[in-house]
Amino acid sequence: MLVTILGPDGTGKTTLARALAEKIDGLDYMYFGYNKESRDYQFFDSFVKSEPKNILKRIIRKGVRFINDLYVFRSAKKNHIISDRCPIDSYVNTKIQGRKLRYYYSLLLKISPNPTFVILLEGDSHIIYNRKKEISEHHIQSTIKYYKEYLLTNKISHFVIDTTQNDITATYNLAMEELIQHLK
């Protein structure tokens, strides 16, 4: 089973995913975010983490990254994995930015398996913005909107937690309750 934690920056995705992985036996943590250094790649790790100048090598790097991600998603059929982010993020962010690259990510999402279950972290955009000040309040609102739209359109089982109304302990407890139900 692949469980994914989604939400805009500042909602506590990494903290929650790691805490749940530590507490639940047999639940492995994986990071699928944008920080290449934090990601573990099964194949060609140094190449995927490199910054090639050549356009062909950059395209090949994206392909290798996709194959690595696909490998992890497929392994979730045998193991329980909780991921901090997933390819849905790339699609949502390019959609918000109005970039044509969103069509590429849209295609990749069609051939990639979706998470089995998503925990979506959301809340008041002003409060979330003030936690990290990495993305604008408008970007936070759009991110939440497009996540919900994607989850509903693709009929992905999900649970929403407002991290501005719940502290970290309450968020963890809500997520733990819901996750245990899905792991049964």
Side-chain angles (χ1 to χ4, degrees):
M1 169 184 233
L2 176 62
V3 177
T4 297
I5 309 291
L6 293 176
D9 293 342
T11 53
K13 294 177 300 298
T14 303
T15 303
L16 180 60
R18 286 186 175 169
L20 291 169
E22 281 180 23
K23 191 69 173 174
I24 299 174
D25 287 336
L27 185 64
D28 297 323
Y29 170 81
M30 294 295 293
Y31 175 77
F32 282 111
Y34 308 113
N35 181 346
K36 290 185 303 220
E37 298 308 314
S38 297
R39 290 185 70 172
D40 291 324
Y41 294 99
Q42 184 71 24
F43 310 105
F44 307 106
D45 187 72
S46 61
F47 175 70
V48 177
K49 290 181 179 178
S50 70
E51 288 294 334
K53 305 275 188 245
N54 179 306
I55 187 80
L56 181 60
K57 285 184 180 179
R58 288 192 308 208
I59 291 169
I60 292 169
R61 184 185 66 180
K62 281 194 180 293
V64 171
R65 177 191 246 175
F66 173 73
I67 291 167
N68 272 280
D69 290 353
L70 197 57
Y71 172 80
V72 171
F73 281 109
R74 298 283 184 216
S75 70
K77 290 183 178 192
K78 298 175 192 164
N79 308 314
H80 294 306
I81 296 173
I82 188 161
S83 71
D84 175 356
R85 300 188 179 272
C86 75
I88 297 169
D89 285 304
S90 298
Y91 169 72
V92 166
N93 280 316
T94 54
K95 187 171 180 173
I96 291 168
Q97 297 164 359
R99 296 176 62 200
K100 290 184 180 185
L101 198 55
R102 72 181 175 273
Y103 300 113
Y104 164 77
Y105 288 113
S106 178
L107 176 65
L108 287 181
L109 286 172
K110 288 184 190 316
I111 59 177
S112 298
N114 278 317
T116 313
F117 178 64
V118 171
I119 298 173
L120 176 59
L121 304 180
E122 66 167 11
D124 179 287
S125 59
H126 182 69
I127 295 170
I128 294 170
Y129 170 76
N130 282 315
R131 288 178 181 164
K132 282 190 144 182
K133 297 184 178 172
E134 289 182 356
I135 57 176
S136 71
E137 289 182 46
H138 175 72
H139 192 104
I140 291 167
Q141 292 165 351
S142 297
T143 300
I144 293 168
K145 172 187 164 191
Y146 289 133
Y147 280 144
K148 287 180 176 178
E149 181 182 288
Y150 185 87
L151 295 172
L152 291 171
T153 300
N154 292 282
K155 298 180 175 102
I156 299 172
S157 179
H158 63 282
F159 182 68
V160 179
I161 302 173
D162 184 329
T163 64
T164 61
Q165 296 294 312
N166 295 286
D167 66 12
I168 197 159
T169 303
T171 297
Y172 170 81
N173 290 335
L174 289 166
M176 179 66 91
E177 264 181 53
E178 196 66 28
L179 187 54
I180 287 171
Q181 294 299 315
H182 279 81
L183 290 174
K184 287 183 181 180

